[in-house]
């Protein structure tokens, strides 16, 4: 599986989803070049995303700024939200205060006094008001599909109203990039504008751009404490191997890349300084069933398969222990999701239980004879597991699942596709089962909504790019999702989320196989202050919004 930025909230996310350097090497990415290690004041960042187009539009997930993550160093959010601890209150940023009212249908923002734009112009509440109007009027920029209604300003406050509760979209709204009205108001087509000379309130400005290397330099006039990192050098490497090599030899200090056998390939090259931390958010990777096709429309069969999937083997062999294990039977990642677990599922862990699977099948009318499972009509149960060629972690996971289901008489085969063909097949429901990620958000709602929302349902053959790829139809799930999103009190919301967990456990529309990590590899040779398990102030991934907070925490190692 390739690394994806998490804009699929995704995604978003997503994902989403789904990460930063210029000049990690002296030559083209992957050339094994020779930049002097540890240039004073410089932090080198990289992603394995190939040549970039000169585009720094912060709202576009396809821009170089999004692909490498440097947009977060130039444009700032209203509030900094910690993706590792999403239930925590955010940190004031361009907004000094914020208040939700009318059951999350009204948001009042008090805009910070002091920031300036990097071109020297004053920042004001007018810029915040303009930004939200820009998003409301340009659908392609409003990637989270927020239903903005009224937008008004009075002094240093901006008021937003919505036609329905935005409880589930709080973080998406509060982490909106703010752009300067004096520049963007003159842009004729903001949805396609490449914004080659970005002006933001953030601590860095764009110095140079090439398809391989992007350099940012720190501002002297930043409104908060000036960062100790004077220059950020982003390189976009051609592939995972080139990126991993750069991390191992020290020419790149910060990245998010899947690295099999990371202890040998990366950590062992400099055990004292080569670190990694892969915490989970509230999204997962999992085996999606096409519930519109027989026999996968049968929850008993899905429950049986869930009983035999060896998540520990997937964790060790497919994901090299980088992706956090899924333990809860609800599929909710821990510890991020601990506050949301329903009382009846607290402490209930996923375990391989072949005998339980066989009993489940027998009760539902299946027969197992001569090592072959037959459905109640007498037809042998087979399945095709699909994912893109080259996504080694997913394909190894499918191979493990293939062996797992053989224990209950299911003959499975693994088939690969191109990324485009696989994406089309997932969207149109042309598959039996496939490993795929889910959306992630501040609560488990985003994950469950992506998997179970009946409002996203499309019949086989009609694209459903918004989610519910498995064509799962359950009126109780759709009702609970609506109740959660529009609840006026916490007890109603909790009850709805508990119902979603019950449906996930009993109906198994998806088998969660791993938490979706928001992690990174980083070096402490030149810089310290990185987030870690003992200090989880932010996810460490360089394409996440919190990457700005990470850089502002960094200090020279000596």
């Amino acid at each position: 599986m390739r690394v994806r930025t998490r804009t699929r909230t995704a995604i978003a996310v997503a994902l989403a989803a789904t990460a930063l350097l210029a000049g990690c090497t002296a030559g083209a990415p992957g050339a094994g070049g020779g930049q002097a290690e540890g240039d004073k004041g410089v932090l080198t960042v990289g992603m394995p995303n190939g040549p970039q187009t000169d585009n720094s539009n912060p709202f576009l997930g396809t821009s170089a700024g999004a692909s490498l993550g440097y947009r977060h160093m130039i444009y700032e959010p209203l509030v900094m939200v910690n993706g590792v601890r999403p239930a925590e209150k955010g940190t004031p940023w361009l907004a000094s205060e914020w208040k939700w009212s009318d059951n999350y249908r009204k948001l009042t923002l008090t805009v910070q006094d002091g920031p300036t734009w990097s071109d020297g112009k004053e920042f004001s509440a007018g810029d915040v008001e303009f930004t939200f109007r820009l998003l409301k009027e340009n659908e392609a920029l409003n990637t989270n599909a927020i239903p903005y209604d009224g937008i008004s300003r009075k002094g240093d406050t901006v008021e937003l109203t919505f036609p329905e509760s935005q409880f589930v979209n709080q973080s998406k709204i509060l982490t909106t990039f703010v752009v300067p009205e004096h520049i963007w108001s003159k842009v004729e087509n903001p949805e396609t504008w490449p914004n080659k000379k970005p002006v933001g309130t953030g601590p860095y400005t764009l110095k140079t751009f090439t398809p391989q290397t992007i350099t940012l330099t720190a501002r002297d006039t930043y409104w908060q404490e000036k960062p100790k990192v004077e220059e950020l050098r982003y390189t976009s490497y051609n592939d995972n191997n080139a990126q991993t090599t750069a991390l191992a030899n020290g020419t790149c200090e910060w990245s998010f890349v899947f690295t099999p056998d990371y202890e040998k390939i990366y950590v062992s090259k400099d055990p004292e300084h080569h670190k990694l931390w892969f915490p989970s958010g509230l999204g997962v990777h999992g085996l999606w069933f096409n519930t519109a096709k027989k026999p996968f429309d049968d929850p008993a069969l899905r429950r049986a398969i869930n009983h035999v999937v060896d998540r520990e083997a997937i964790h060790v062999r497919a994901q090299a222990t980088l992706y956090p294990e899924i333990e809860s039977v609800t599929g909710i990642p821990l510890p991020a999701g601990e506050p949301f677990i329903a009382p009846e599922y607290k402490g209930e862990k996923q375990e391989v239980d072949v005998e339980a699977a066989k009993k489940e099948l027998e009760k539902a009318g299946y027969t197992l004879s001569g090592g072959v499972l037959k459905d109640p009509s007498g037809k042998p149960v087979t399945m095709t597991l699909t994912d893109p060629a080259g996504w080694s972690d997913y394909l190894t996971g499918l191979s493990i699942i293939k062996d797992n289901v053989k224990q209950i008489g299911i003959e499975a085969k693994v088939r690969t596709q191109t990324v485009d063909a696989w994406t089309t097949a997932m969207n149109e429901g042309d598959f039996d089962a496939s490993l795929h990620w889910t959306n992630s958000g501040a609560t488990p709602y985003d994950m469950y909504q992506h998997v179970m929302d009946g409002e996203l349902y499309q019949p086989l053959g009609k694209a459903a790019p918004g989610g519910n790829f498995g064509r799962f139809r359950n009126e109780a799930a759709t009702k609970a999702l609506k109740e959660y999103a529009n609840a006026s009190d916490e007890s109603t919301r909790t009850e709805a989320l508990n119902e979603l967990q019950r449906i996930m456990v009993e109906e198994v529309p998806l088998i969660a196989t791993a938490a979706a990590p928001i992690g990174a590899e980083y070096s402490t040779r030149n810089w310290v202050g990185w987030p870690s398990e003992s200090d989880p102030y932010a996810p460490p991934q360089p394409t996440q919004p919190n990457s700005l907070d990470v850089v502002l925490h960094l200090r020279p190692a000596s």
Side-chain angles (χ1 to χ4, degrees):
M1 183 182 63
R2 293 178 184 172
V3 173
R4 295 172 290 276
T5 54
R6 301 296 172 186
T7 56
R8 298 176 179 270
T9 50
I11 118 128
V13 204
L15 337 251
T18 209
L20 303 166
L21 177 170
C24 274
T25 63
Q35 174 190 311
E37 191 175 335
D39 288 356
K40 186 175 176 59
V42 175
L43 173 63
T44 56
V45 195
M47 287 296 292
N49 295 347
Q52 299 291 308
T53 300
D54 191 353
N55 189 319
S56 296
N57 189 320
F59 300 113
L60 301 182
T62 55
S63 70
S67 176
L68 303 181
Y70 69 80
R71 61 179 174 173
H72 302 294
M73 307 299 160
I74 297 173
Y75 294 97
E76 297 185 289
L78 293 158
V79 179
M80 188 68 73
V81 177
N82 183 356
V84 179
R85 298 289 184 267
E88 293 179 354
K89 182 178 174 62
T91 301
W93 218 263
L94 290 181
S96 58
E97 296 178 13
W98 61 98
K99 180 181 179 182
W100 291 96
S101 56
D102 191 21
N103 190 27
Y104 295 91
R105 289 191 290 265
K106 179 179 177 181
L107 173 63
T108 303
L109 297 158
T110 302
V111 177
Q112 195 79 250
D113 179 31
T116 60
W117 297 104
S118 56
D119 63 358
K121 302 289 186 181
E122 183 180 351
F123 165 82
S124 72
D127 295 302
V128 176
E129 178 192 24
F130 169 80
T131 296
F132 284 113
R133 291 191 183 280
L134 181 72
L135 297 178
K136 179 181 179 180
E137 296 166 4
N138 295 272
E139 184 178 352
L141 300 184
N142 185 11
T143 54
N144 290 313
I146 304 298
Y148 296 105
D149 190 5
I151 302 172
S152 61
R153 172 173 56 93
K154 183 177 181 179
D156 64 351
T157 64
V158 173
E159 183 178 285
L160 308 176
T161 59
F162 309 89
E164 56 194 27
S165 173
Q166 295 303 297
F167 176 82
V168 297
N169 291 324
Q170 291 178 74
S171 294
K172 298 171 188 175
I173 296 167
L174 293 174
T175 56
T176 298
F177 292 113
V178 180
V179 296
E181 180 180 11
H182 66 277
I183 292 177
W184 285 73
S185 62
K186 301 172 185 176
V187 177
E188 188 171 337
N189 297 303
E191 295 178 345
T192 58
W193 188 45
N195 190 28
K196 294 184 178 181
K197 297 181 179 180
V199 172
T201 58
Y204 293 92
T205 58
L206 181 62
K207 181 179 180 181
T208 60
F209 188 104
T210 73
Q212 289 79 34
T213 61
I214 295 91
T215 304
L216 305 185
T217 187
R219 293 173 54 192
D220 291 328
T221 55
Y222 182 51
W223 63 283
Q224 300 193 80
E225 180 185 353
K226 184 180 177 181
K228 298 297 188 290
V229 177
E230 298 173 8
E231 186 170 285
L232 285 163
R233 298 181 186 171
Y234 293 81
T235 289
S236 190
Y237 291 88
N238 286 336
D239 54 34
N240 284 13
N241 288 337
Q243 176 63 78
T244 303
T245 298
L247 284 167
N249 65 29
T251 55
C252 180
E253 298 169 283
W254 188 19
S255 182
F256 168 47
V257 59
F258 179 73
T259 308
D261 200 7
Y262 64 88
E263 289 281 358
K264 177 181 178 181
I265 294 172
Y266 170 60
V267 176
S268 68
K269 305 303 180 184
D270 187 355
E272 183 180 352
H273 302 107
H274 285 182
K275 308 295 182 182
L276 49 81
W277 183 44
F278 275 63
S280 68
L282 290 175
V284 301
H285 298 278
L287 187 71
W288 294 64
F289 291 104
N290 190 340
T291 66
K293 294 178 65 176
K294 289 186 177 300
F296 311 108
D297 61 338
D298 185 354
L301 178 64
R302 301 195 299 265
R303 286 195 296 270
I305 295 174
N306 186 43
H307 277 308
V308 299
V309 169
D310 190 340
R311 293 167 178 81
E312 184 177 0
I314 292 173
H315 174 63
V316 174
R317 290 166 48 197
Q319 291 145 1
T321 71
L322 284 175
Y323 296 4
E325 283 189 86
I326 286 291
E327 296 184 337
S328 173
V329 294
T330 66
I332 296 175
L334 305 176
E338 186 65 46
F340 303 103
I341 302 294
E344 61 264 41
Y345 298 124
K346 283 190 179 296
E348 290 292 317
K349 294 185 177 182
Q350 299 278 10
E351 294 181 354
V352 174
D353 192 337
V354 177
E355 289 307 311
K358 290 179 178 179
K359 290 178 182 179
E360 185 82 58
L361 292 167
E362 182 180 1
K363 183 178 179 181
Y366 291 79
T367 57
L368 180 60
S369 177
V372 176
L373 181 69
K374 294 182 179 180
D375 68 20
S377 71
K379 183 179 180 180
V381 177
T382 63
M383 63 192 303
T384 300
L385 307 169
T386 54
D387 268 306
W391 289 13
S392 59
D393 54 337
Y394 270 10
L395 294 178
T396 302
L398 291 184
S399 179
I400 292 169
I401 293 170
K402 173 186 173 181
D403 292 340
N404 294 157
V405 299
K406 184 69 174 176
Q407 299 175 88
I408 52 174
I410 298 176
E411 187 67 34
K413 63 180 179 179
V414 175
R415 181 167 65 95
T416 62
Q417 299 173 288
T418 66
V419 173
D420 289 344
W422 173 75
T423 300
T424 299
M426 289 295 295
N427 288 345
E428 296 182 356
D430 185 17
F431 69 99
D432 289 348
S434 178
L435 283 174
H436 194 293
W437 59 92
T438 70
N439 283 346
S440 179
T443 76
Y445 168 87
D446 296 78
M447 176 183 75
Y448 286 148
Q449 187 263 348
H450 198 206
V451 176
M452 297 194 282
D453 194 351
E455 294 194 352
L456 297 175
Y457 172 84
Q458 296 292 349
L460 291 176
K462 187 173 182 180
N468 196 356
F469 307 121
R471 273 66 185 171
F472 184 68
R473 302 181 78 172
N474 183 300
E475 291 183 5
T478 303
K479 180 183 177 183
L481 287 165
K482 287 182 179 179
E483 289 177 347
Y484 185 88
N486 294 289
S488 58
D489 61 87
E490 195 61 36
S491 62
T492 301
R493 193 171 291 118
T494 298
E495 185 177 340
L497 186 58
N498 291 352
E499 172 69 358
L500 290 168
Q501 293 176 60
R502 182 193 65 77
I503 295 169
M504 185 72 167
V505 171
E506 296 181 2
E507 299 289 320
V508 195
L510 168 143
I511 294 176
T513 55
I518 38 181
E521 297 92 350
Y522 53 85
S523 172
T524 60
R525 176 173 289 278
N526 300 309
W527 299 100
V528 296
W530 300 94
S532 63
E533 189 170 2
S534 61
D535 187 15
Y537 67 83
Q541 194 172 115
T543 56
Q544 291 285 315
N546 301 88
S547 58
L548 170 58
D549 198 19
V550 172
V551 169
L552 293 177
H553 272 79
L554 296 182
R555 298 289 184 268
S558 59

